[in-house]
Amino acid sequence: MDKQQLSKDILKLVGGEENIDQVTHCMTRLRFNLNDNKKADKATLKNTPGVMGVMENGGQFQVIIGNDVPVVYNALVGNMSKSPDAKPAASTQSGKKKNPLSAVFDFISGVFTPILPAITGAGMLKGIVALLLTFGWIDATSSTYIILSAIGDGAFYFLPIILGISTARKLGSNMYIGAAIGASVMHPTITALLAPGENVSFIGLPVVAATYASSVIPILIAIWLASYVEKAIDKVTHASLKLIVVPTVTLLIIVPVMMIAVGPLGVIIGNGLTDGINWLFNNAGLFAGLLVGGAFSLLIITGMHYALVPIMIGSIATLGYDYLIPLMMMANFAQAGSALGVSLKSKNKQIKSLSASTGVTALMGITEPAMYGVNMRFKKPFVAALIGAAISGAFVSFFQTKAYVIGGLAGLSGIPMIIGPTFVYALIGIIVAVVVSAVLTYIIGFEDVPEAVPAAAATPAAEPTTPAATTSASAVTAVEETKALDQDVFSPITGEVKSLSEVPDPAFSEEIMGKGFAIQPSEGRVVSPINGTVFSLSKSGHAIGLVSDDGAEMLIHIGIDTVKLKGQFFSPKVQAGAKVAVGDVLMEFDREEIEKAGYTTITPVIITNMHQYHSIESAGRTTIKEKELLFTAKA
């Protein structure tokens, strides 16, 4: 796939460079802060080759790419006339106020996403050093150990400086003033001055003793305040003096305020959060793990997991361990297990291949392809993953399983994070997460995508019994013909013709399954729209798969979520393998009873092998009767 072209397509579909306020990326997603999300063509983006999905969370417009996201990001930035960092990141979309909770999550994710590579690299190195020390492969008194430890500890010890830069960048302030604020409180003289037991004051105001090394909350609050001070000073300062006055006054105000008020308050908040989490797991470990482990994937979907990042970092920095990271790992391994369960259960070769590959990717800690491309697509596997994560989360929390460093993804590559006294319990938890999720997925099953029947397997159709069938049959050629032909699709239902975009299910409305139209039935009967073979009939009767004599693969899906009726109100008139002609009755259903049960009966009629066709041509009807031409798939 051409990453340059993909980046150009994405840039265009998010509304162009002028609509981008800021763009960053994490391990799998491009994260845009757009001036107006409505200007982005979300539907087209989702169907762009190379894009796995599109989400809006915490005010961010997120485009899921997968492992190639760094390459796409670099190409995207290269296609922009200005660096995304040159644009102020603090503006809101079209002047609209953002939901406060969404604004908080957007702020936290925007601050911590850019620094994750530094934290991850340092954390991985700390894990490797701990491993070398555990096995006696390195001496704790050697200069090699000291240097490696300093490299691993550096990013964490000087976290206020790193966060000062990232926070200022997120808020649209001067990043280097942010760094200077962090560096001021980390200066060795200040560190020694603020040692416990020392009486310190600044212009007569008491300075409370606090340790800023590895701290998170104080610098976040300080830079947030600094952003307002900096802008206020900038507004009243003459242009010729801005370079001198703005940074000087900002530093003179914020650093003392941080040491007198903000710092101690931030330390209290940070310690309170850490102590609260530890109390929860020490006193209600099993139930805490059950709840947090089971909900972690939902937190990831909404972006709320970023709110836990400061707690994780603070816990590692102050206590030397963290309880939340193992739960995040359990959730990721559970998603992997469910995807692998889909691979074992599915009869469709493409689905088996997709779920197996995304399952392996999820094992390495990159869960979006498995979560969005497989588990959430089939629904039940996602539920199985939540259950698997809850069970394994309860197990590891019962044994107070800990992570000792932050580094790597929460998958197999992140194993060094959990090396320590509780390592064995963590490994057992991983096995439980994968196995339980895979087995549950296999047992409860899901609505599989029917395997396509090759056109060559079809036999000549029965003699047409209606004039409409004769029209369709005229297009049939010998099965040896390798080139696809135009496929006329006649209406299987009497009712009102609707666009697929009106179907309340993304699998159809976003044309993930295929292209075609939907019908809002006025009668409870389905007839064959083509001459061909019934190759699939769901047990619940709500979905019928057909393949025409010309090789067009079709799906008729009666209602949305009607699989939950388990066959009630459906009466199939054919079986899988039956030969049908246009107008032959396939199914009868009680439309009124289905709607009384709370389900819509809107019925998508789609071509699922659209790779053989270049477009869908509507017959132009708004209302339609059985056997009238609905659309033509143009080869």
Side-chain angles (χ1 to χ4, degrees):
M1 183 181 298
D2 187 346
K3 304 299 188 299
Q4 276 288 345
Q5 185 58 49
L6 176 59
S7 69
K8 292 178 182 178
D9 292 342
I10 293 172
L11 185 61
K12 177 182 177 181
L13 293 171
V14 297
E17 182 178 349
E18 63 277 4
N19 194 38
I20 298 175
D21 187 45
Q22 185 185 32
V23 57
T24 59
H25 75 88
C26 56
M27 296 298 181
T28 58
R29 310 180 194 187
L30 293 171
R31 296 174 175 269
F32 291 92
N33 289 87
L34 300 179
N35 295 317
D36 187 353
N37 282 2
K38 293 181 180 179
K39 291 183 179 180
D41 189 344
K42 193 173 180 180
T44 304
L45 261 174
K46 285 185 176 181
N47 291 305
T48 300
V51 174
M52 293 182 176
V54 178
M55 295 181 62
E56 292 184 59
N57 277 322
Q60 282 191 336
F61 190 88
Q62 303 173 6
V63 181
I64 303 168
I65 302 296
N67 295 345
D68 291 327
V69 69
V71 180
V72 177
Y73 172 80
N74 289 334
L76 179 78
V77 172
N79 288 323
M80 296 172 66
S81 60
K82 294 182 180 179
S83 166
D85 290 338
K87 297 174 179 259
S91 62
T92 58
Q93 293 181 30
S94 300
K96 295 182 291 185
K97 290 185 177 180
K98 194 180 293 182
N99 177 284
L101 189 61
S102 296
V104 170
F105 293 143
D106 175 48
F107 171 69
I108 294 175
S109 65
V111 168
F112 284 93
T113 297
I115 73 168
L116 283 179
I119 299 298
T120 298
M124 282 294 290
L125 187 54
K126 285 170 67 72
I128 293 171
V129 171
L131 189 64
L132 294 175
L133 194 62
T134 300
F135 287 99
W137 295 338
I138 194 170
D139 187 351
T141 62
S142 69
S143 57
T144 299
Y145 171 81
I146 294 172
I147 292 172
L148 288 176
S149 296
I151 298 172
D153 288 334
F156 293 95
Y157 185 85
F158 292 103
L159 195 57
I161 299 176
I162 297 174
L163 282 173
I165 295 171
S166 185
T167 307
R169 175 180 177 273
K170 174 61 181 174
L171 295 173
S173 301
N174 189 297
M175 296 184 291
Y176 304 102
I177 294 178
I181 293 170
S184 297
V185 296
M186 290 301 300
H187 194 281
T189 303
I190 297 294
T191 302
L193 185 66
L194 297 181
E198 297 290 335
N199 293 322
V200 182
S201 65
F202 178 76
I203 59 173
L205 298 172
V207 176
V208 181
T211 301
Y212 294 100
S214 304
S215 65
V216 173
I217 305 296
I219 193 68
L220 293 180
I221 299 174
I223 302 303
W224 174 69
L225 291 174
S227 68
Y228 287 97
V229 172
E230 182 183 340
K231 290 170 186 174
I233 302 301
D234 183 82
K235 187 179 294 185
V236 299
T237 304
H238 190 272
S240 62
L241 300 174
K242 288 182 187 293
L243 181 62
I244 300 172
V245 174
V246 174
T248 303
V249 176
T250 302
L251 288 171
L252 277 175
I253 294 174
I254 293 300
V255 175
V257 167
M258 183 177 180
M259 292 193 294
I260 293 169
V262 171
L265 176 62
V267 170
I268 291 171
I269 294 173
N271 289 342
L273 291 172
T274 300
D275 292 342
I277 291 292
N278 287 325
W279 182 91
L280 181 65
F281 282 93
N282 288 330
N283 293 276
L286 188 148
F287 298 104
L290 185 76
L291 179 63
V292 179
F296 224 112
S297 291
L298 299 175
L299 296 178
I300 291 172
I301 290 172
T302 61
M304 292 173 64
H305 65 297
Y306 278 103
L308 301 176
V309 173
I311 300 175
M312 295 176 186
I313 295 175
S315 183
I316 294 278
T318 57
L319 301 176
Y321 59 82
D322 175 67
Y323 288 116
L324 294 173
I325 293 173
L327 296 179
M328 183 164 59
M329 295 183 75
M330 297 306 113
N332 285 0
F333 280 111
Q335 293 293 336
S338 284
L340 295 174
V342 171
S343 180
L344 293 173
K345 183 79 171 181
S346 177
K347 303 299 182 184
N348 186 307
K349 291 180 181 179
Q350 289 184 334
I351 297 299
K352 290 177 79 72
S353 175
L354 172 67
S355 54
S357 62
T358 58
V360 171
T361 302
L363 287 174
M364 298 307 296
I366 300 174
T367 58
E368 277 89 346
M371 187 186 301
Y372 296 111
V374 177
N375 298 338
M376 291 181 69
R377 172 183 176 184
F378 294 111
K379 297 181 178 66
K380 289 182 180 179
F382 184 70
V383 175
L386 298 183
I387 295 172
I391 293 173
S392 57
F395 174 84
V396 297
S397 295
F398 180 78
F399 290 101
Q400 296 189 342
T401 306
K402 305 175 182 70
Y404 300 92
V405 296
I406 293 180
L409 299 171
L412 292 177
S413 62
I415 290 295
M417 295 190 294
I418 54 175
I419 294 176
T422 58
F423 182 54
V424 173
Y425 300 120
L427 290 183
I428 296 174
I430 289 171
I431 295 171
V432 170
V434 174
V435 172
V436 168
S437 301
V439 170
L440 276 177
T441 298
Y442 194 89
I443 292 174
I444 65 178
F446 50 89
E447 188 179 347
D448 199 7
V449 177
E451 181 75 75
V453 177
T459 56
E463 284 294 318
T465 56
T466 67
T470 304
T471 303
S472 178
S474 66
V476 177
T477 61
V479 294
E480 290 79 14
E481 181 71 36
T482 58
K483 183 179 179 180
L485 300 174
D486 290 356
Q487 177 68 59
D488 288 335
V489 176
F490 298 88
S491 179
I493 299 175
T494 296
E496 185 178 0
V497 179
K498 301 283 187 180
S499 166
L500 283 181
S501 62
E502 298 181 59
V503 179
D505 186 334
F508 298 108
S509 63
E510 297 171 12
E511 299 184 338
I512 295 172
M513 299 289 290
K515 294 186 178 183
F517 288 87
I519 299 173
Q520 184 64 58
S522 58
E523 298 179 3
R525 189 170 83 151
V526 179
V527 302
S528 178
I530 46 90
N531 293 324
T533 304
V534 177
F535 71 82
S536 174
L537 181 66
S538 66
K539 291 181 181 179
S540 57
H542 74 291
I544 307 164
L546 305 103
V547 60
S548 77
D549 292 334
D550 291 329
E553 298 161 14
M554 294 196 60
L555 175 66
I556 303 172
H557 197 282
I558 306 166
I560 302 302
D561 287 335
T562 45
V563 63
K564 297 177 182 178
L565 293 171
K566 299 181 179 179
Q568 189 179 13
F569 311 130
F570 292 91
S571 178
K573 302 302 179 184
V574 293
Q575 295 181 341
K579 292 294 299 177
V580 292
V582 173
D584 288 351
V585 179
L586 304 178
M587 176 75 64
E588 291 181 352
F589 60 96
D590 193 330
R591 179 177 60 86
E592 293 181 356
E593 289 299 321
I594 292 173
E595 291 175 348
K596 284 181 182 178
Y599 298 91
T600 176
T601 54
I602 191 169
T603 300
V605 181
I606 61 174
I607 299 287
T608 56
N609 60 334
M610 276 303 299
H611 61 279
Q612 293 188 13
Y613 303 91
H614 67 76
S615 64
I616 294 292
E617 185 176 283
S618 171
R621 292 182 170 89
T622 55
T623 58
I624 200 164
K625 294 181 179 180
E626 293 176 0
K627 301 182 291 184
E628 290 184 338
L629 183 64
L630 177 61
F631 66 84
T632 300
K634 306 296 287 185

